[in-house]
Amino acid sequence: MDGGDIRGAVHTNMRHDSAVKHVTGRAVYIDDMPEPPGTQHTALVLSPHAHARIVSIDKSAAETADGVSAVVTATDIPGVNDIAPVMSGEPLLADGIAQYAGMPVAAVSADTYDQAFAAASLVEVTYEELPPILSIEDAWEKEEFTYKPPKIVFGDAESAMKTSAHTVSGEVRCGGQDHFYLETHIAFAVPGEDRDITVYSSTQHPTEVQHGVSHVLGIAQNDVTIEVRRMGGGFGGKESQPTIIAGIAALLADRCGKPVKLRLRRDDDMIATGKRHDFLFKYEVGFDDTGRIESAVIDMAARSGNVADLSAGVVARALCHGNNAYFIPNALFRGWPCKTNTVSNTAFRGFGGPQGMIAIETAIEHIARDLGKSVDDVRAANYYGTDDRNVTPYGQPVTDNIMPEIVERLSREIDYEGRKKAIDDFNATHTTLKKGIALMPVKFGISFNAPMLNQAGALVHVYTDGSVHLNHGGTEMGQGLFTKVAQVVSSVFQIDIDHVKISATRTDKVPNTAPTAASAGSDLNGMAAFNAAEEIRVRMAGVAGDHFGVPADDIEFRQNRVYAGNESLSFAETAQMTWNQRVSLSATGYYRTPDISWDSETMTGSPFYYFTYGASVTEVVIDTLTGESRVLAADILQDVGASLNPAIDLGQIEGAFVQGMGWLTSEEMVWDPKGRLMTHGPSTYKIPGSRDVPPHFKVHILDDAPNRVPTIFRSKAVGEPPLMLAISVWLALRDAVSRTGDAKLM
Ligand code: MTE
Ligand code: HPA
Ligand code: MOS
C-alpha cells in the first residue's frame, strides 16, 4: 500500500504540523498556557553538598513569608517518597541524606516566582557533610554500583586472546552531555475534585509521570491524568526526569489546593536533572594479520550517578552496541554502573549506544595503527558477513546487514579515496594547520531492550462531517511524530491530512503507554493508529458496500471520496451514513512489536526487531598552535527504510549529527572538587551554534530501501541512529592530531 494521491500521504515531504507555530512563537508550551486564578509558582531548595546527612530542616520562616502557600520536604509526602522508573528506592525529595549537589531537599510555592525564590532561601537546612564518591574510578574501585553489574559473554574471549597473533589494549573515556532542550523541565499541576489531579507535564513518558504522582500522593492511577501537547525538546532528558518535576508540583498542589507551576530555570535544570552517562572504557582485542578481530574484552564503566534511574537500560544498550557493525567471535563485555554522589545520569539520544561504539572504534583504530594498515581496511575485515559471521555477541542473528554496501556507496559517491589523498597532500605542505578525515559506520538496534516497552495504543474518532480526531500514546518533542502518525491515518482513509486533528497525549485517552523513546515512536504509535483507523475504514466500507450494493472489498477510498466503481460518496457523506446505520465511528488501536526477546539475566536474546544502518565521512582541520578545530565537511548516507516523511527525516539526521558533534567537541561538563557542577548555563556549556554546522554538509537518504520486516509502511526509525555518525568527527580529529608529524617543510 502506498501513500496515495492526497495531501499529506505517507512517503511525502509533509511539513511538521507545528512548523509555522514554532518559528512564529505561537506554539503553546506549558509555560504559555493561560494560568487559572490562584496559580502558584515554585522554587526549589537544592543540596549544596554532594553527600551530607540532613540534620534538621526549619521551614517556619519560609512558611510565613509573603505570598507562600506551601513548603514541602520529604516528610510531607502522603504516599511514598520513591519515583524510581525501573528499580526502587529513588527519592523525590532528599530523605535524611543528600546524595548529590543539586538534589531537591525542599520546595516552596507562592503567588509569584520571586516570592517563592525569596522564601526558598529562608528554609534552613543543617547538613553534616559526608565523604562523597565523585569519580567513576573511585566507585569502581570501591565496587559501589547502583545495581548488579551485567555482562555479555559470547564464546571464550579470554582464552581466544591467548592464541591470537596480535593483541592490543588500552583505555578511553567519553564525557557526559547535557540535553539543553530549549524548554527546561516544567510541570503544571491542577487539583480537581476528591484529590483528583491533572498534571501538564513536559514529558516523553506520561504514563510514568502518572505512576510517580500516584505513588507520591498515595492515590490511585485513575485519580491522576497527565497531558502533554508538545515538548520544547526532550532528547531522552524527559524520559524519566519529568516525574521529579511533576511529583513536586503535584505534592505542592495537593497541599495548598491551588494550581502549581514548577518551571526550572536553566541553571537548576542543568544542576538538578540527569544527563548522558560518561564512561571509562578498558579494552583488549586479539586479532590476526589482516586485522580481523578474534576476541574482545571490554570493560564499560558508566557514571550511573546516585541512583539507578534508567542506567540498566543505558548500560545494556552500550553493551549491545559494543561491537557496532563488526562480528566478534569471542566477546566479553562487562558493564560497571558506578554509583557516585553526582546527579543520576539518564537517557540521552542513543541511550548508551554512542558510548559503546566509542570503545570499539578506538580499538579498531588501535589495531590499524598496530598493523600499519588503514582503519578502513581493518573495518572492512570485520563487518558482519552473510555466512557464519552474522550473529551478535548477545545472540541475535543479523539478517539484514547492508553495512558494507552503504560504506561502499558513500565512499564511491563522495570519492573518499580522492579526499583522503587531498588531505595527505594538504598535511604534507602545512605545518600549523592539520586536516583529518574519517569514516564512521553505524549499526543501531531498533526496539526497547526490555520487550514489555514495545507496545502502543491509539484512539481514532471519525465525526459525521468527515473530520478525524487522532490520539495515541506517543509524545511530540519536535521530532515530527505527530505529523508522521497523522500521515498514516490520512493514508488509511485517503483523506487530506488537514482533516486529521492532532491532539495532546493524555493518559485518560490512551493508557499504559511506553515512553516515546528508543526511536520507536513512529514504529509503535504509527502502527497502533493504523490499526485503529483501519478498523473504522473497514466498518465504513461495509456501510458503503451496502449502500452501493457491492461487497465491502470492492469499496475503494481515494482522494477524499469513497468509490464503488464509478459511483462515489464523499468521505463525509460516508461518515454520516455510517452513523445513520448505527455503526461506530470510533476505535482504539493496539500494536506490539513481534519476534523480540530478551533475557536481562544472561543478557541474551533478539531484543531488536531490526537494525538501521548509516555511514558518514567527516573532514576536520585543527590549528596546532591554538588547539581550535573546525568541521569542514560531512557526508552522510543513512538508511531510514521507506521514509514516512523524507523532509522530517532529513531534519532528524542533520540535527542528530550536529548534536553528536557537540557532545564530542565543544560540550564539556566540569565539576569542582566538591562535586558541584560548574557548567550550568550557556556561558560555560557550549552547544554547537549555527556557525558550527559544517559548511559542506550533505545528507543522503538511502533510496529504494524498504524495511525488510513489516513496519509501518516499511519505514525505519530515525531519531537516534544518526547521532552516532558524529563519531566520525571525533575520529577525524584524532586523525588530524596524529598527522602533526606529517609536514616536511620545516
Ligand atoms: N528530535 C527533536 N527535534 N527533539 C527531540 O527531543 N529526541 C530524540 C529524537 N529526535 C528528539 C528528536 C530522541 S532521544 C528520540 S528517542 C526520538 O527522537 C524519539 O522520537 P521518535 O521515536 O518518534 O523518533
Ligand atoms: N531506549 C530508550 N529508552 C529506553 C530504552 C531504550 O532502549 N529502554 C528503556 N528506556
Ligand atoms: Mo531517546 S534517548 O530514546 O529518548
Side-chain angles (χ1 to χ4, degrees):
M1 182 174 174
D2 67 5
D5 193 14
I6 38 145
R7 206 180 105 73
V10 294
H11 310 313
T12 63
N13 289 326
M14 190 63 209
R15 89 153 55 115
H16 191 291
D17 64 275
S18 298
V20 173
K21 287 185 274 187
H22 288 157
V23 296
T24 54
R26 275 178 294 176
V28 177
Y29 295 87
I30 291 170
D31 204 29
D32 302 319
M33 292 169 57
E35 293 170 1
T39 292
Q40 300 291 292
H41 301 268
T42 308
L44 300 179
V45 177
L46 305 178
S47 167
H49 305 296
H51 196 198
R53 192 181 319 285
I54 297 173
V55 180
S56 65
I57 304 179
D58 182 356
K59 46 184 201 174
S60 54
E63 275 172 333
T64 53
D66 268 359
V68 170
S69 52
V71 182
V72 291
T73 65
T75 53
D76 298 306
I77 293 174
V80 292
N81 185 16
D82 189 354
I83 44 133
V86 180
M87 312 214 172
S88 62
E90 303 181 8
L92 174 73
L93 292 169
D95 193 4
I97 306 275
Q99 297 279 11
Y100 68 96
M103 183 172 196
V105 174
V108 181
S109 59
D111 291 335
T112 67
Y113 178 74
D114 287 347
Q115 288 172 334
F117 192 71
S121 68
L122 300 176
V123 177
E124 276 197 37
V125 188
T126 315
Y127 297 94
E128 179 193 323
E129 280 189 71
L130 301 168
I133 293 180
L134 295 175
S135 67
I136 291 177
E137 286 90 335
D138 198 9
W140 197 358
E141 200 174 296
K142 296 190 168 102
E143 300 190 6
E144 286 285 346
F145 304 117
T146 52
Y147 64 96
K148 186 172 150 252
K151 63 180 176 203
I152 288 178
V153 184
F154 186 64
D156 185 348
E158 277 161 329
S159 314
M161 198 72 72
K162 296 192 188 109
T163 60
S164 280
H166 311 269
T167 60
V168 293
S169 62
E171 222 180 86
V172 63
R173 53 173 74 235
C174 61
Q177 186 177 22
D178 189 273
H179 303 85
F180 223 97
Y181 24 62
L182 289 181
E183 179 204 38
T184 54
H185 277 287
I186 183 166
F188 187 30
V190 183
E193 289 182 11
D194 307 327
R195 286 189 82 209
D196 284 1
I197 192 159
T198 300
V199 185
Y200 302 87
S201 166
S202 183
T203 177
Q204 293 172 239
H205 199 347
T207 290
E208 191 169 283
V209 172
Q210 179 194 22
H211 293 177
V213 169
S214 131
H215 293 155
V216 166
L217 296 188
I219 57 182
Q221 290 171 9
N222 69 1
D223 296 325
V224 183
T225 303
I226 309 300
E227 174 172 326
V228 50
R229 170 59 185 83
R230 60 169 65 78
M231 284 159 270
F235 307 112
K238 293 174 182 169
E239 182 172 337
S240 68
Q241 306 294 291
T243 309
I244 304 170
I245 312 308
I248 293 173
L251 179 61
L252 287 162
D254 187 56
R255 190 131 182 121
C256 70
K258 296 176 179 176
V260 173
K261 184 189 279 188
L262 169 49
R263 169 176 160 249
L264 295 187
R265 44 180 195 150
R266 179 67 62 183
D267 304 76
D268 288 349
D269 189 287
M270 293 184 78
I271 290 168
T273 69
K275 304 150 204 322
R276 184 188 290 288
H277 292 65
D278 47 323
F279 272 71
L280 167 62
F281 302 101
K282 295 185 180 177
Y283 62 87
E284 182 175 17
V285 282
F287 49 97
D288 67 13
D289 293 339
T290 67
R292 188 171 267 203
I293 297 174
E294 291 163 339
S295 62
V297 177
I298 307 182
D299 284 298
M300 306 191 187
R303 179 194 298 274
S304 182
N306 71 104
V307 289
D309 181 68
L310 301 173
S311 294
V314 170
V315 172
R317 193 169 271 276
L319 295 174
C320 287
H321 290 77
N323 65 310
N324 190 13
Y326 315 114
F327 174 72
I328 300 181
N330 296 282
L332 173 59
F333 295 164
R334 284 181 292 229
W336 305 102
C338 296
K339 182 174 187 325
T340 52
N341 292 107
T342 48
V343 67
S344 181
N345 282 326
T346 193
F348 195 136
R349 208 169 193 171
F351 205 73
Q355 293 97 317
M357 288 182 196
I358 292 269
I360 192 68
E361 291 304 325
T362 306
I364 291 268
E365 191 195 81
H366 201 160
I367 293 169
R369 291 200 190 287
D370 190 68
L371 294 177
K373 283 180 174 297
S374 95
V375 195
D376 298 305
D377 290 345
V378 174
R379 286 206 177 90
N382 283 290
Y383 288 131
Y384 281 100
T386 43
D387 43 19
D388 55 337
R389 297 172 51 83
N390 63 358
V391 62
T392 67
Y394 43 92
Q396 173 157 359
V398 179
T399 55
D400 58 1
N401 180 31
I402 50 170
M403 198 73 255
E405 218 173 298
I406 287 202
V407 168
E408 195 275 321
R409 259 183 78 171
L410 178 66
S411 304
R412 183 162 33 83
E413 276 166 25
I414 67 160
D415 186 23
Y416 184 36
E417 291 308 316
R419 295 240 207 131
K420 284 203 263 192
K421 174 78 177 50
I423 292 222
D424 289 343
D425 293 347
F426 179 93
N427 286 331
T429 53
H430 290 73
T431 47
T432 306
L433 298 181
K434 289 292 175 187
K435 286 188 178 179
I437 186 166
L439 179 142
M440 174 72 191
V442 172
K443 161 178 154 287
F444 193 74
I446 300 300
S447 298
F448 291 92
N449 258 81
M452 68 188 172
L453 294 175
N454 296 287
Q455 56 175 318
L459 177 66
V460 174
H461 309 312
V462 175
Y463 294 102
T464 50
D465 65 354
S467 66
V468 176
H469 180 92
L470 167 61
N471 199 269
H472 53 82
T475 57
E476 177 61 44
M477 58 196 97
Q479 86 279 37
L481 174 66
F482 280 12
T483 307
K484 287 182 174 178
V485 180
Q487 286 178 276
V488 167
V489 170
S490 89
S491 294
V492 171
F493 291 130
Q494 289 294 308
I495 56 173
D496 293 337
I497 197 164
D498 319 65
H499 302 303
V500 180
K501 176 74 77 190
I502 285 168
S503 62
T505 316
R506 281 181 67 106
T507 52
D508 56 354
K509 276 194 181 166
V510 174
N512 311 322
T513 55
T516 307
S519 304
S522 52
D523 283 17
L524 295 170
N525 297 286
M527 206 60 122
F530 178 93
N531 289 339
E534 181 61 13
E535 192 169 322
I536 300 173
R537 195 195 63 80
V538 167
R539 291 184 208 146
M540 291 174 76
V543 170
D546 289 347
H547 170 75
F548 291 118
V550 300
D553 284 353
D554 292 354
I555 297 291
E556 196 193 345
F557 287 62
R558 179 157 41 94
Q559 287 180 307
N560 301 298
R561 297 192 71 78
V562 178
Y563 286 87
N566 289 332
E567 289 185 291
S568 72
L569 293 167
S570 71
F571 183 77
E573 286 164 341
T574 313
Q576 179 68 56
M577 188 181 290
T578 305
W579 184 82
N580 294 350
Q581 294 302 317
R582 295 188 295 168
V583 173
S584 170
L585 284 167
S586 175
T588 58
Y590 179 79
Y591 175 73
R592 61 164 180 257
T593 311
D595 308 327
I596 47 173
S597 63
W598 182 245
D599 180 338
S600 58
E601 253 324 291
T602 59
M603 301 288 281
T604 56
S606 290
F608 305 122
Y609 189 31
Y610 61 90
F611 296 97
T612 67
Y613 297 87
S616 58
V617 169
T618 298
E619 286 181 35
V620 301
V621 62
I622 59 171
D623 182 324
T624 55
L625 298 181
T626 65
E628 281 171 278
S629 66
R630 304 292 300 172
V631 178
L632 299 174
D635 290 85
I636 291 172
L637 182 59
Q638 178 68 40
D639 159 35
V640 292
S643 172
L644 287 174
N645 186 326
I648 282 179
D649 286 356
L650 199 67
Q652 284 292 295
I653 297 166
E654 290 176 349
F657 183 87
V658 173
Q659 190 166 42
M661 186 180 107
W663 171 45
L664 296 164
T665 56
S666 57
E667 294 176 45
E668 184 165 16
M669 283 182 304
V670 180
W671 278 269
D672 76 3
K674 300 203 74 179
R676 291 173 298 210
L677 182 65
M678 304 303 286
T679 46
H680 47 76
S683 59
T684 46
Y685 186 79
K686 293 300 186 187
I687 62 169
S690 54
R691 284 166 304 157
D692 297 309
V693 172
H696 170 107
F697 192 21
K698 297 244 166 9
V699 177
H700 302 279
I701 287 175
L702 187 70
D703 48 25
D704 220 2
N707 200 340
R708 297 176 197 195
V709 292
T711 47
I712 186 73
F713 293 102
R714 300 277 171 175
S715 60
K716 279 193 175 184
V718 68
E720 296 167 287
L723 183 134
M724 284 149 273
L725 295 172
I727 295 173
S728 61
V729 174
W730 185 73
L731 293 170
L733 286 168
R734 290 167 69 89
D735 183 48
V737 170
S738 77
R739 311 288 199 107
T740 48
D742 280 7
K744 300 174 186 75
L745 282 185
M746 289 175 75

